[in-house]
Amino acid sequence: MSARGERGEDAAGRLGCASFRRDFGVDYAYLAGSMYRGIASKELVVALGRAGFMGFLGAAGLNPERVTDDIVHIRRHLEPHQPFGVNLLCDLQYPARETANVEMLLAHGVRVIEASAFIKVTPALVLFHLSGLRARPGGGVARDTRIVAKVSRPEVAGEFMRPAPEDVVARLVAEGRVTREQAALARGVPVAQDLTVEADSGGHTDRGVSTVLLPSMQSLRLHMTRQFGYGEKIRLGLAGGIGTPQAVAAAFAMGADFVMTGSINQCTAEAGISDAVKDRLQAIDVQDTDYCPAGDMFEIGALVQVLKKGVLFPARANRLHALYKRYDSWEEIPQETRRQIQDTYFKKSVDEVWRETCEHLRKTGRESEIERAERSPKRRMTLIFRWYYGYSSRLSFMDTDFDRANVQIHTGPALGAFNQWVRGTPWENWRNRHPDRMAMKLMREASSILSGCR
């Protein structure tokens, strides 16, 4: 069979929404989501793009220079028609940085972004959205830029299903960032035509259930389409828990227009994480993850799902959050507890932790955070605890198993399910796993399952 025949003409290539495949230039209704700090690496994105799928570069946590270099690499190794996308992480504290990231992506010809952790549509997203709008010669609106919005709550999904906020559009027109024609076209289309409904997943999670979330979002889609009279279909994909052919088949059976995988791709040869971490991940089962507060949203207790097997990080992260809620300063915490945290969590004194925190804040232009912490002992304690999250995350990118107990590894039970599915095959070893081949196998076996049900 020819390469093109393998990609476009088999039954797997007919799963999901045909317009999705056409608009994104993919052969399969399958995306690989971004994973922060380049775990979804440039090599991973290239492998998927060459095989008729699309992956998103994990730009969150990387400096702009690194992101630019990775985009250049991807464009050099993919043909012009082969698709790729880049993650855009919400930055509510520093909206100017979010806008700068969008401007950088547009300047480098990025036409698809995965918008993650957004709770509302921001000016930066509207800028990206409007920059690609143009009138079709025969009528209607063409999109040269596309947002794939990751959502886990209906009220957030509703934000993306509506036309861009008029006040934000007017401001962009006044600033000369978009044209009046683009502003007019924006009134008749949603900000995002494609939304990924994210059930319980690795990393940040609302612990949603796919069989509840997807039907709810489908009902919301129907309501929004009628309310605004859209001529285009809002497409809904499913993510979270997608790690086996049965899960892929279930997603399409529920009416998903596409699927998105995540955790399974971090345990592949192309993933940008240490070999030591991959060695651990290839052995986990579905019960080997746990929840703890997210470092970037520590105060409100938003959750991330992380590896539990063989590590103490989730238990220690939960303990730090409990101490944060109970005490108003580091000094109020009992002395023995403080000693234990410094010796076993931080591996250094709290004075050293605070010095490193201040250096980082100065380097990133956030001196005001230091001043705020000096006025508020509780804020200082928060930043000290957040340092632990940064430290534990950096451990997962080290090539050795240094400080095994404290390593923070975002992952979900889908990887455990995948591991059991491939047990006893060459794919049991992560060194033989490649995201494009895994995607092909998942889609083809899902197609066979669905064919057998008819």
Side-chain angles (χ1 to χ4, degrees):
M1 182 181 289
S2 69
R4 178 65 205 177
E6 289 181 355
R7 292 180 186 173
E9 295 173 5
D10 56 357
R14 295 192 292 273
L15 293 178
C17 181
S19 68
F20 175 89
R21 299 192 299 271
R22 181 193 67 233
D23 289 345
F24 284 91
V26 294
D27 294 330
Y28 299 92
Y30 180 112
L31 303 176
S34 66
M35 293 173 284
Y36 77 138
R37 293 186 64 184
I39 296 176
S41 66
K42 58 184 183 292
E43 293 84 5
L44 188 149
V45 171
V46 168
L48 288 160
R50 285 177 169 174
F53 303 94
M54 186 168 73
F56 289 95
L57 178 69
L62 301 180
N63 63 52
E65 293 75 22
R66 164 70 185 278
V67 175
T68 297
D69 289 345
D70 284 359
I71 292 171
V72 170
H73 174 95
I74 292 167
R75 294 180 71 87
R76 185 186 306 125
H77 288 84
L78 288 180
E79 297 296 328
H81 68 278
Q82 292 174 327
F84 75 96
V86 179
N87 174 252
L88 180 71
L89 185 68
C90 179
D91 198 340
L92 283 177
Q93 282 189 307
Y94 301 97
R97 187 163 58 190
E98 187 179 289
T99 299
N101 286 336
V102 162
E103 291 172 338
M104 179 267 291
L105 294 175
L106 289 170
H108 285 87
V110 173
R111 293 294 173 253
V112 183
I113 60 171
E114 177 197 53
S116 57
F118 285 85
I119 59 174
K120 64 178 182 178
V121 171
T122 64
L125 285 175
V126 176
L127 173 61
F128 188 87
H129 163 52
L130 265 66
S131 295
L133 296 185
R134 57 183 172 83
R136 291 187 186 277
V141 181
R143 293 175 182 262
D144 293 328
T145 56
R146 292 186 175 275
I147 296 170
V148 179
K150 230 174 193 177
V151 296
S152 56
R153 302 170 67 94
E155 70 271 21
V156 177
E159 290 275 317
F160 284 97
M161 290 183 187
R162 293 184 177 90
E166 291 186 4
D167 59 330
V168 176
V169 174
R171 196 180 321 140
L172 291 172
V173 171
E175 293 170 354
R177 292 173 175 265
V178 300
T179 67
R180 293 189 180 278
E181 180 187 17
Q182 289 168 329
L185 293 172
R187 298 190 191 105
V189 294
V191 171
Q193 186 180 359
D194 302 278
L195 290 81
T196 304
V197 179
E198 187 177 25
D200 193 26
S201 63
H204 291 81
T205 180
D206 284 330
R207 302 173 70 171
V209 178
S210 60
T211 52
V212 175
L213 270 180
L214 185 59
S216 173
M217 299 291 191
Q218 289 167 333
S219 296
L220 179 64
R221 169 177 64 185
L222 179 61
H223 171 75
M224 289 292 187
T225 301
R226 288 173 175 171
Q227 179 180 348
F228 295 104
Y230 294 139
E232 64 181 15
K233 178 184 179 181
I234 296 174
R235 298 175 294 228
L236 298 175
L238 188 61
I242 307 292
T244 61
Q246 292 86 348
V248 174
F252 287 121
M254 285 195 294
D257 294 307
F258 60 94
V259 294
M260 177 183 281
T261 55
S263 296
I264 65 171
N265 300 311
Q266 74 183 130
C267 196
T268 61
E270 288 81 2
I273 201 166
S274 74
D275 290 359
V277 166
K278 294 177 190 179
D279 287 341
R280 290 189 182 195
L281 290 174
Q282 74 178 16
I284 72 169
D285 209 329
V286 294
Q287 73 276 11
D288 292 327
T289 62
D290 202 355
Y291 304 94
C292 64
D296 56 347
M297 293 183 277
F298 183 81
E299 297 94 320
I300 63 174
L303 296 177
V304 288
Q305 188 165 195
V306 297
L307 179 67
K308 175 178 66 174
K309 182 180 181 180
V311 300
L312 295 175
F313 170 76
R316 289 177 172 178
N318 279 305
R319 189 183 186 201
L320 290 180
H321 193 258
L323 292 170
Y324 163 79
K325 291 194 292 184
R326 182 172 180 181
Y327 297 102
D328 289 325
S329 72
W330 169 258
E331 289 72 23
E332 283 186 19
I333 298 172
Q335 184 175 358
E336 179 58 26
T337 302
R338 281 184 281 148
R339 183 198 61 76
Q340 183 187 48
I341 291 171
Q342 291 173 96
D343 290 348
T344 61
Y345 294 31
F346 299 166
K347 305 288 187 175
K348 59 182 63 179
S349 73
V350 73
D351 291 335
E352 291 177 280
V353 168
W354 181 240
R355 184 163 56 250
E356 289 183 15
T357 299
C358 291
E359 288 174 0
H360 174 70
L361 291 171
R362 290 190 185 101
K363 282 181 182 177
T364 54
R366 291 179 286 172
E367 292 88 348
S368 60
E369 283 290 319
I370 302 173
E371 297 170 5
R372 180 183 169 194
E374 288 172 347
R375 295 191 303 269
S376 169
K378 183 129 187 169
R379 181 61 182 170
R380 182 174 180 270
M381 178 174 64
T382 301
L383 293 176
I384 289 169
F385 288 171
R386 280 187 168 189
W387 176 93
Y388 174 67
Y389 281 84
Y391 165 70
S392 60
S393 178
R394 288 192 295 275
L395 291 174
S396 67
F397 294 89
M398 297 175 65
D399 288 331
T400 65
D401 255 341
F402 170 76
D403 197 3
R404 288 175 59 95
N406 285 309
V407 65
Q408 177 186 176
I409 304 169
H410 291 190
T411 194
L415 178 56
F418 181 89
N419 288 340
Q420 306 322 308
W421 178 50
V422 301
R423 180 176 289 172
T425 76
W427 282 1
E428 187 169 350
N429 188 317
W430 64 261
R431 291 167 179 81
N432 298 321
R433 299 182 188 181
H434 302 280
D436 53 324
R437 298 175 193 173
M438 289 159 50
M440 189 77 74
K441 184 73 168 175
L442 287 168
M443 290 292 282
R444 287 186 171 172
E445 294 217 3
S447 176
S448 296
I449 291 169
L450 291 171
S451 296
C453 292
R454 294 191 182 103

XYZ file of all heavy atoms in Angstrom, residues 15 248-250 252-253 445-454:
110
model
N -12.785 8.482 10.393
C -13.317 8.738 11.730
C -13.336 10.242 12.005
O -12.452 10.990 11.575
C -12.453 8.042 12.792
C -12.457 6.506 12.798
C -11.512 5.992 13.867
C -13.864 5.964 13.019
N -10.443 5.684 22.225
C -10.612 6.441 20.983
C -11.957 6.115 20.348
O -12.705 7.015 19.923
C -9.452 6.138 20.009
C -9.701 6.806 18.654
C -8.123 6.603 20.593
N -12.285 4.831 20.296
C -13.563 4.422 19.705
C -14.732 4.989 20.486
O -15.724 5.455 19.895
C -13.643 2.887 19.670
N -14.633 4.983 21.808
C -15.710 5.526 22.636
C -15.915 7.005 22.376
O -17.053 7.497 22.332
C -15.406 5.280 24.115
N -15.322 8.696 19.571
C -16.009 8.896 18.296
C -17.445 8.385 18.359
O -18.345 8.954 17.724
C -15.232 8.229 17.170
C -13.970 8.957 16.787
C -12.736 8.329 16.861
C -14.021 10.277 16.363
C -11.571 8.995 16.512
C -12.867 10.968 16.017
C -11.632 10.319 16.099
N -17.673 7.325 19.131
C -19.042 6.827 19.278
C -19.937 7.843 19.966
O -21.149 7.895 19.706
C -19.039 5.512 20.066
N -7.108 0.658 15.088
C -7.785 -0.331 15.938
C -9.134 0.209 16.425
O -10.091 -0.546 16.574
C -6.891 -0.734 17.106
C -5.652 -1.480 16.666
C -5.248 -2.594 17.608
O -5.958 -2.849 18.604
O -4.205 -3.225 17.336
N -9.213 1.509 16.665
C -10.508 2.106 17.023
C -11.497 1.937 15.881
O -12.686 1.644 16.102
C -10.332 3.583 17.358
N -11.019 2.122 14.655
C -11.878 1.948 13.484
C -12.387 0.519 13.396
O -13.560 0.284 13.096
C -11.111 2.315 12.217
O -11.882 2.078 11.063
N -11.502 -0.444 13.683
C -11.934 -1.853 13.659
C -12.970 -2.143 14.722
O -13.932 -2.882 14.473
C -10.706 -2.748 13.867
O -9.787 -2.619 12.805
N -12.791 -1.558 15.896
C -13.775 -1.752 16.976
C -15.133 -1.215 16.555
O -16.175 -1.880 16.723
C -13.296 -1.049 18.271
C -12.066 -1.776 18.838
C -14.412 -1.001 19.315
C -11.368 -0.997 19.949
N -15.140 -0.026 15.993
C -16.410 0.590 15.599
C -17.041 -0.163 14.425
O -18.275 -0.273 14.362
C -16.174 2.053 15.226
C -15.797 2.957 16.422
C -15.363 4.328 15.939
C -16.977 3.100 17.388
N -16.229 -0.672 13.529
C -16.775 -1.453 12.413
C -17.436 -2.726 12.911
O -18.481 -3.154 12.397
C -15.645 -1.800 11.424
O -15.127 -0.637 10.850
N -16.851 -3.342 13.949
C -17.416 -4.555 14.497
C -18.701 -4.346 15.254
O -19.470 -5.289 15.471
N -18.939 -3.080 15.647
C -20.180 -2.768 16.389
C -21.343 -2.477 15.470
O -22.477 -2.365 15.931
C -19.936 -1.554 17.312
S -18.794 -1.878 18.663
N -21.068 -2.287 14.197
C -22.142 -1.905 13.282
C -22.955 -3.121 12.853
O -22.456 -4.217 12.801
C -21.570 -1.210 12.052
C -20.916 0.127 12.402
C -20.596 0.912 11.139
N -19.926 2.162 11.487
C -18.613 2.366 11.359
N -17.839 1.419 10.903
N -18.092 3.535 11.678
